[in-house]
Each structure stands twice: as C-alpha cells, then as structure tokens.
Amino acid sequence: MAVGRIIKALSGFYYVQSNEGVYACKGRGVFRNKNITPLVGDDVEFEVRNEDEGYIMKVKDRSNELIRPPIANIDQVCIVNAANSPELNPLLLDRFLVLIEAKHIQPIIFITKMDLATQEEIDRMKEYQSIYQNIGYEVKLLSSKEPEWISEVIPYFKNKVSVFAGQSGVGKSSLLNTLDPNLYLETAEISKSLGRGKHTTRHVELLPIGEGLVADTPGFSVLEFSDLEAEDLGPCFPEIRLHMSDCKFRGCLHDKEPKCAVKAAVNDGVIAEFRYQHYLRFLEEIKTRKPRY
C-alpha cells in the first residue's frame, strides 16, 4: 500500500503527493458509510490503480483539523492583516486568534501594505505589534518596498504545514506570489464600494514554499465559537491564561466575579483593555448562543 499526503481536493478527486509523484485518487465508499471525509493535509494510505490514479484506502489519525477551510494536520496559521484598505480590525484578529488557539495551533501575525500606510497608520501598526508581541505572538510588518522581509519570513515555513487566514482583500494570495513568483495565484482589486476584496481562491491546495507547505484557501468562512464553552475561552487568550490561576474562585470567568486576578491585571495595564473587552464580547456571544440539538 502506498502512502502520501493529500495536497489538493478538487471536483471529487483527492490529489495525493507521495515519493513517487502525485496521484489523482477517489475516496472509497466505506468513508461515506463511516462519515469520514478526507481533507487536504491528511496522511493517507492509497492503492495505485494505474500510472497516476488510485483509491484512498485509509485516512490516518489527525493531529488537528479545520472545517472551513477544510484542512488537517496544520502546524501554524499565518493571520494576514493589512495596514489599510482594508484597515486592520483588532476584533476580527482576536476572533481568528481564539479559534486558532482553541485548536492548539501556533499563530503568526503578518501585517501587509505598510508601504501604503500613512504615518498615523504606521504608528498604530507598531503599537499593535508591540502589544501582540508582549503577549507572545510573532508579528511581522511587511512592505513591498523593503524586499528584505522575504528572507525573514521564508524560514517560518520550513518543515511545516501553514495556513493563511485573514479577511478578503488583505493580500494573502499576493503575499504568497511574492514569496514564490512561480505560483501565479489569482488576485483581485479591493472593491471601492464594499471596501473588501473579491474571493479569488476557490479550493484548498498545499503549495511548496520555503521547504514547507503553505495552504492557499478560500478563507475562513465561519468565525463562530460553536465548539467553544465559556470556561474554555480564557485559556485561548495567553495573557488571561497566565493570570487565571491566581483568581480566588475556581471556574472564574473574569467578568463579574470578585477578587479576579485577570481583572486586576487589566486595571494595572498588564493586560490590554481592548483585548479584555474582546474577551467579554466573545464570552457573551458564547453564553447567549442557541443550543444545538
């Protein structure tokens, strides 16, 4: 039995990369019966039927998975933001970070279009960079006028499977094209009326970049905390996770409880106020969501 990794799913075929090449494979009917859907990133066993075709016989255990975009066994998520057009939305950034932290996947923050930013925007991006770096995140400010950033970013991808995330129009495909001009990924201009970009990526595919694999995806289409419980939210904020063990009451949700170490850290300026407000907003969202049946 041959082994490989699914690098693309398109039109009912799973393209499996093995040491011998890429095979266009179909999934066995038994997967449908067991409610198993092969995902890009899956390590699989497959049966070769002819020169470049085969059938997937087994999907190996996953270390993690995302559903939208559908991809498995991810090492890190690169959250791409723009300094302007569209401007960085810290609430959306924190939503991405919580969803990624909940899956125990390493996030990296990229901020593009620094060369198009005003001085006020540059100062604001540097302030965000400082805040998120103090939390423990890697944050890179990228400018097309300073190509030396490419040599700084490429090592992040070595021997890893990475996923790019971010709202439409921030330049995810453009960034990948800059990292590897041979990709020729389709890009689109920002809509002036809507203030956002058009979706240009229509399927999930793993692309070889910097001695690793990077997924170009249609984006995260669902950003709801449907699988997260209220008590699970705090640990998804590293700075809250750092202080929550000092709260007086076990099970503290860091909202209205007395003698809360997290609220004390906010009052002392150790935890950024806007991050704490985002936490409270997400907490309320989780508390008031409709139960699933």
Side-chain angles (χ1 to χ4, degrees):
M1 196 77 68
V3 296
R5 171 187 280 147
I6 299 175
I7 59 169
K8 180 169 66 172
L10 187 63
S11 302
F13 283 92
Y14 302 99
Y15 293 83
V16 179
Q17 174 82 61
S18 74
N19 291 334
E20 287 70 41
V22 177
Y23 295 83
C25 296
K26 286 282 193 179
R28 290 186 64 198
V30 68
F31 292 140
R32 290 191 294 273
N33 299 334
K34 293 183 178 179
N35 201 26
I36 296 174
T37 301
L39 297 176
V40 170
D42 271 332
D43 295 312
V44 299
E45 294 180 3
F46 67 102
E47 187 176 272
V48 177
R49 288 299 171 93
N50 56 45
E51 186 177 341
D52 57 1
E53 294 181 352
Y55 282 90
I56 294 175
M57 309 301 286
K58 179 181 179 181
V59 175
K60 297 185 179 182
D61 291 341
R62 297 164 178 160
S63 59
N64 54 52
E65 66 179 81
L66 300 173
I67 302 303
R68 298 181 184 179
I71 187 169
N73 301 318
I74 307 138
D75 295 307
Q76 61 189 13
V77 175
C78 307
I79 308 174
V80 184
N81 308 266
N84 66 16
S85 187
E87 66 181 47
L88 188 149
N89 181 338
L91 180 66
L92 181 60
L93 171 57
D94 285 344
R95 187 174 286 270
F96 274 119
L97 286 169
V98 166
L99 290 167
I100 294 163
E101 290 274 4
K103 296 288 186 179
H104 306 289
I105 302 171
Q106 177 69 37
I108 300 174
I109 300 170
F110 293 148
I111 301 177
T112 64
K113 305 184 182 181
M114 290 297 294
D115 51 304
L116 303 178
T118 64
Q119 188 58 52
E120 181 181 353
E121 289 168 334
I122 291 172
D123 293 341
R124 192 185 316 130
M125 294 308 107
K126 288 183 177 179
E127 183 178 354
Y128 281 132
Q129 182 185 38
S130 176
I131 291 170
Y132 283 101
Q133 284 182 335
N134 286 337
I135 292 170
Y137 293 123
E138 289 278 358
V139 184
K140 304 297 291 186
L141 306 181
L142 310 181
S143 168
S144 62
K145 292 184 178 178
E146 298 174 1
E148 60 269 17
W149 66 261
I150 297 176
S151 61
E152 297 177 11
V153 168
I154 281 288
Y156 283 108
F157 305 124
K158 186 174 181 179
N159 298 326
K160 292 185 178 180
V161 175
S162 307
V163 174
F164 272 43
Q167 69 187 109
S168 186
V170 295
K172 296 186 294 294
S173 293
S174 296
L175 179 55
L176 287 170
N177 282 336
T178 304
L179 293 170
D180 187 346
N182 295 320
L183 295 176
Y184 301 111
L185 298 177
E186 183 183 356
T187 61
E189 295 296 322
I190 297 292
S191 164
K192 298 297 184 183
S193 59
L194 298 177
R196 61 175 183 264
K198 302 174 184 177
H199 289 288
T200 54
T201 305
R202 296 175 180 84
H203 65 273
V204 179
E205 181 174 2
L206 290 175
L207 308 165
I209 293 180
E211 297 182 59
L213 293 170
V214 177
D216 189 32
T217 78
F220 284 59
S221 56
V222 175
L223 294 174
E224 298 172 352
F225 305 121
S226 55
D227 297 326
L228 208 59
E229 300 301 329
E231 60 269 20
D232 300 325
L233 180 62
C236 294
F237 285 75
E239 67 272 49
I240 291 178
R241 186 167 67 232
L242 184 64
H243 291 88
M244 59 192 299
S245 61
D246 295 326
C247 293
K248 181 175 178 59
F249 297 101
R250 182 179 296 179
C252 180
L253 293 178
H254 326 299
D255 183 7
K256 298 179 174 63
E257 298 88 346
K259 299 184 178 179
C260 170
V262 170
K263 288 191 290 184
V266 175
N267 292 334
D268 293 341
V270 177
I271 294 177
E273 174 70 27
F274 80 90
R275 285 272 293 174
Y276 177 64
Q277 292 303 320
H278 292 171
Y279 165 81
L280 292 179
R281 180 165 175 172
F282 298 157
L283 182 65
E284 182 65 18
E285 183 178 325
I286 291 171
K287 285 181 174 181
T288 57
R289 73 183 174 208
K290 293 181 180 179
R292 291 181 298 173
Y293 298 100

